[in-house]
Amino acid sequence: SQQGEEDPQALSIQEGENATMNCSYKTSINNLQWYRQNSGRGLVHLILIRSNEREKHSGRLRVTLDTSKKSSSLLITASRAADTASYFCATTTSGTYKYIFGTGTRLKVLA
Amino acid sequence: DTAVSQTPKYLVTQMGNDKSIKCEQNLGHDTMYWYKQDSKKFLKIMFSYNNKELIINETVPNRFSPKSPDKAHLNLHINSLELGDSAVYFCASSQGTSGLTQFFGPGTRLTVL
């Protein structure tokens, strides 16, 4: 299966703490994206990191990419209750049009 | 002024029926997608159209037939519905096919009884 994998599957933290979730994938990629899905909603794009980049920041989000290990991590700093959602990574490969999504991490931030 | 909209939001139907889900985007994108998200939250690409041309057709039963009347619309018709078709179906769009940001619709929850 080409499905990426994320860990942990579920994460529960206190408001104000940092949350880290990881994504591993199987093939060489063009870029990797992180999406958030609130319960009962569609996915919302958070950040994109290209295969030649190692780290990217956007507000409280920090994404790293290690192509040698075929893995990425998403760090959310100073988490808020509103960050409670499922987080998915998605990869694209040169020459194909497909986005391969990971299995998702369910994050719960307790107020 | 919703960017990607889907109708209906919920669809409950009997096995064997035929149903359609509609998707429209007002972002001016040229590529649209259908995804299926199962009960374990796995999100799997089904189809993709670029400028009304089918470019991705995953291993999906031929009971599923997408139709793109124009760049802004991608509908999904499902014949002879089965229990295993129950899932949430998401439409998405992007500009181009080179793996950039996708914008997702709110989803259609299909329940087959």
Side-chain angles (χ1 to χ4, degrees):
Chain A
S1 162
Q2 289 180 284
Q3 194 85 39
E5 287 189 17
E6 293 175 61
D7 81 272
Q9 288 188 353
L11 180 59
S12 189
I13 59 174
Q14 295 291 327
E15 209 167 25
E17 291 180 342
N18 296 342
T20 300
M21 48 206 96
N22 305 296
C23 165
S24 59
Y25 54 90
K26 297 181 180 177
T27 61
S28 295
I29 61 169
N30 202 25
N31 66 51
L32 184 144
Q33 302 176 46
W34 285 89
Y35 286 81
R36 183 186 74 228
Q37 184 180 29
N38 290 88
S39 180
R41 300 282 190 93
L43 280 74
V44 173
H45 180 260
L46 294 176
I47 197 164
L48 179 153
I49 186 165
R50 298 187 190 281
S51 60
N52 61 355
E53 297 176 311
R54 291 297 165 258
E55 189 170 312
K56 207 151 181 192
H57 297 253
S58 176
R60 293 183 298 113
L61 306 180
R62 174 178 167 251
V63 168
T64 61
L65 179 64
D66 187 336
T67 52
S68 67
K69 293 181 180 176
K70 292 189 169 56
S71 68
S72 173
S73 67
L74 170 67
L75 168 68
I76 304 174
T77 60
S79 63
R80 304 166 182 167
D83 295 328
T84 295
S86 291
Y87 291 82
F88 294 87
C89 65
T91 56
T92 59
T93 303
S94 295
T96 77
Y97 306 118
K98 285 195 292 189
Y99 295 69
I100 306 296
F101 280 83
T103 50
T105 293
R106 290 187 307 282
L107 173 66
K108 188 168 185 178
V109 181
L110 304 168
Chain B
D1 44 341
T2 306
V4 182
S5 59
Q6 295 178 228
T7 54
K9 189 166 172 61
Y10 300 97
L11 188 50
V12 181
T13 188
Q14 299 287 333
M15 260 195 328
N17 283 351
D18 303 339
K19 290 292 177 187
S20 291
I21 308 171
K22 295 187 176 183
C23 177
E24 176 180 1
Q25 54 94 4
N26 62 6
L27 297 166
H29 289 165
D30 59 5
T31 307
M32 296 184 73
Y33 310 79
W34 276 111
Y35 287 88
K36 178 180 180 181
Q37 187 173 45
D38 63 20
S39 57
K40 293 184 179 177
K41 302 295 186 186
F42 287 159
L43 195 67
K44 194 163 164 28
I45 183 81
M46 299 173 69
F47 301 102
S48 177
Y49 273 75
N50 173 252
N51 285 317
K52 301 197 300 174
E53 181 185 340
L54 182 66
I55 57 171
I56 296 175
N57 186 355
E58 287 294 280
T59 310
V60 176
N62 57 15
R63 297 182 295 103
F64 290 78
S65 52
K67 279 195 173 53
S68 182
D70 55 57
K71 286 197 306 184
H73 296 85
L74 180 61
N75 303 323
L76 184 64
H77 188 76
I78 316 170
N79 289 329
S80 304
L81 278 155
E82 300 178 356
L83 293 176
D85 298 332
S86 294
V88 182
Y89 292 84
F90 287 98
C91 175
S93 73
S94 67
Q95 182 53 35
T97 56
S98 53
L100 296 181
T101 302
Q102 288 189 312
F103 291 79
F104 281 78
T108 295
R109 182 173 293 277
L110 171 65
T111 303
V112 182
L113 303 174

